[in-house]
Amino acid sequence: QVQLVESGGGLVQAGGSLRLSCAASGRTFSSYVMGWFRQAPGKEQEFVARIRWNGGRTAYLDSVKGQFTISRDNAKNTVYLQMSSLKLEDTAVYYCASANVDSTKRGDYTYWGKGTQVTVSS
């Protein structure tokens, strides 16, 4: 079992930055792929970014490439999502999730946090 707790969300003006954190506990953190997903009001949940257990290879939603950066600190059992140049359309609940396969598909992720709200204002 893995427990995931997100933090760092909030209200930010367009063009601003936020860093989300996801603290993991339970089973060996370094054995998992960690991902971020988001769900905007009235829309389906979508993949945002993921990082392999060794922190080497990453993958991003095309629309956030160059804008968001995912990283992880295995020693702290924490994964981060640095978001910059935020846009109104980035408003969503952001979820951290873990998987034991290298995937961008929601169904491949086993454990999920409860989410943190990010609201971008004009």
Side-chain angles (χ1 to χ4, degrees):
Q1 194 96 12
V2 176
Q3 293 79 43
L4 304 173
V5 179
E6 304 95 336
S7 61
L11 176 64
V12 62
Q13 286 191 325
S17 299
L18 280 176
R19 188 179 78 159
L20 305 183
S21 299
C22 172
S25 60
R27 295 185 62 183
T28 306
F29 176 75
S30 61
S31 299
Y32 288 84
V33 168
M34 300 299 295
W36 286 97
F37 291 75
R38 67 184 181 186
Q39 187 165 20
K43 295 187 177 181
E44 292 189 353
Q45 192 177 62
E46 65 178 353
F47 166 80
V48 176
R50 69 107 176 96
I51 188 166
R52 286 187 175 177
W53 70 269
N54 63 5
R57 182 170 294 184
T58 58
Y60 295 92
L61 177 69
D62 283 347
S63 62
V64 306
K65 287 180 180 178
Q67 181 190 359
F68 291 3
T69 302
I70 188 171
S71 61
R72 63 191 284 158
D73 185 333
N74 283 20
K76 295 182 177 180
N77 286 356
T78 301
V79 64
Y80 304 99
L81 186 68
Q82 179 68 48
M83 308 184 295
S84 59
S85 302
L86 284 163
K87 308 169 187 175
L88 296 180
E89 53 264 39
D90 295 318
T91 294
V93 177
Y94 284 72
Y95 298 89
C96 173
S98 66
N100 56 15
V101 293
D102 195 353
S103 174
T104 62
K105 298 179 181 179
R106 183 187 187 283
D108 289 330
Y109 284 75
T110 306
Y111 300 103
W112 292 79
K114 293 183 178 181
T116 185
Q117 176 71 47
V118 172
T119 302
V120 183
S121 65
S122 59

